[in-house]
Amino acid sequence: MGKIFCILGKSSSGKDTIFKRILEYEELRLKTLVLYTTRPLRLGEVNGREYWFVTKEQMEEYQKEQRIIEMREYHTIYGEWYYFTVKDDQINLKEYNYLMHTTLESYENLMKYYGKENLVPLYIEVEDGIRLERALKRERKQDNPKYAEMCRRFLADERDFSEENIKRCNIQKRFQNINLEECLEEILSFMKERIKGKDYSGI
């Protein structure tokens, strides 16, 4: 059976960059599992790569069809934004391994649906001061910077990624993204071993 590798971490920890770099390693033959969101597309994002960007009306249609596996709602200063996973035939664990980025809450719900044994967390950590600097630099590049929303996300991460929540999801292995290349090398080595089927339950 294949594995679903889930990249997790607080905002501006480098998840998107690491996600894109991992996919460059074609020998891993990874497929992507793309989540859905109703939030606006950000500069540099591509529909179907980071997320499937849909309207609230489209999301409600998925709900009526009972196709939503899990959903999270965020109350932002711009309104409610939803992130969710849809039963859309993206997953075939008999044939492939997958890579996605998600939240702890989503990871927990995906474990219930796909099975704990099929999910592998890749938890990325960065010191808070560095994360804040990165977030500010990224936001300044936007056509319409949303600094208040950036601060809301930063504070929300402290709650969402609390040590209690991390422990509840049984995430023991953490990857420090101080040096991107070193972090990436460690993650790739870890993934290759998991794909080979070695037991890392004690890590």
Side-chain angles (χ1 to χ4, degrees), residues 3 5 18 21-23 25 27-28 30 99 120-122 124 173-175 180-200 203:
K3 301 292 183 184
F5 293 94
I18 289 172
R21 289 288 301 275
I22 290 174
L23 288 179
Y25 287 79
E27 64 270 26
L28 294 179
L30 295 167
L99 181 69
V120 181
L122 303 173
I124 314 299
K173 176 68 176 177
R174 306 187 189 197
F175 300 93
L180 175 61
E181 298 304 325
E182 291 179 1
C183 180
L184 187 62
E185 183 178 348
E186 185 181 3
I187 291 173
L188 289 169
S189 177
F190 178 80
M191 292 178 68
K192 289 174 183 177
E193 295 294 340
R194 288 309 301 262
I195 289 173
K196 289 178 182 177
K198 291 193 177 181
D199 181 13
Y200 275 75
I203 289 182

Side-chain angles (χ1 to χ4, degrees), residues 33-48:
L33 173 57
V34 183
L35 302 184
Y36 291 65
T37 184
T38 61
R39 79 154 167 77
L41 190 79
R42 292 178 187 151
L43 183 67
E45 291 182 328
V46 176
N47 191 30

Side-chain angles (χ1 to χ4, degrees), residues 10 14-15 27 43 45 50 81 92 99 103-104 127 142-143 159 167 180 187 199-200:
K10 297 176 182 178
K15 299 187 302 296
E27 64 270 26
L43 183 67
E45 291 182 328
E50 284 81 10
W81 290 351
N92 179 6
L99 181 69
T103 66
L104 276 180
E127 189 272 327
Q142 302 295 317
D143 293 334
R159 299 188 300 271
K167 186 178 294 184
L180 175 61
I187 291 173
D199 181 13
Y200 275 75

Side-chain angles (χ1 to χ4, degrees), residues 10-152:
K10 297 176 182 178
S11 59
S12 300
S13 59
K15 299 187 302 296
D16 289 344
T17 299
I18 289 172
F19 178 86
K20 294 170 186 174
R21 289 288 301 275
I22 290 174
L23 288 179
E24 292 176 0
Y25 287 79
E26 297 180 358
E27 64 270 26
L28 294 179
R29 299 178 62 244
L30 295 167
K31 300 285 186 179
T32 58
L33 173 57
V34 183
L35 302 184
Y36 291 65
T37 184
T38 61
R39 79 154 167 77
L41 190 79
R42 292 178 187 151
L43 183 67
E45 291 182 328
V46 176
N47 191 30
R49 186 179 66 189
E50 284 81 10
Y51 295 97
W52 290 110
F53 295 89
V54 299
T55 64
K56 189 175 180 181
E57 289 72 26
Q58 287 174 294
M59 180 193 73
E60 290 171 348
E61 283 298 315
Y62 291 137
Q63 286 178 309
K64 291 177 183 177
E65 296 167 357
Q66 297 184 331
R67 293 177 57 195
I68 294 182
I69 297 173
E70 58 82 29
M71 176 187 292
R72 286 141 288 127
E73 178 181 357
Y74 295 93
H75 303 282
T76 79
I77 61 172
Y78 301 99
E80 278 65 45
W81 290 351
Y82 297 86
Y83 292 78
F84 52 100
T85 307
V86 173
K87 301 175 187 177
D88 57 2
D89 299 322
Q90 289 189 69
I91 297 294
N92 179 6
L93 290 174
K94 292 182 179 179
E95 298 290 336
Y96 301 106
N97 294 294
Y98 293 84
L99 181 69
M100 65 181 295
H101 49 70
T102 186
T103 66
L104 276 180
E105 182 182 359
S106 175
Y107 176 77
E108 196 168 15
N109 288 320
L110 289 167
M111 278 197 298
K112 295 175 184 177
Y113 186 81
Y114 289 109
K116 179 181 178 181
E117 68 280 3
N118 294 319
L119 267 70
V120 181
L122 303 173
Y123 188 78
I124 314 299
E125 276 194 332
V126 174
E127 189 272 327
D128 285 346
I130 296 175
R131 285 199 307 109
L132 190 56
E133 289 176 359
R134 291 178 180 177
L136 184 58
K137 183 178 180 180
R138 182 178 69 181
E139 203 60 36
R140 282 174 174 158
K141 294 179 180 179
Q142 302 295 317
D143 293 334
N144 181 27
K146 298 179 174 63
Y147 297 116
E149 175 57 22
M150 180 198 76
C151 293
R152 184 205 66 79

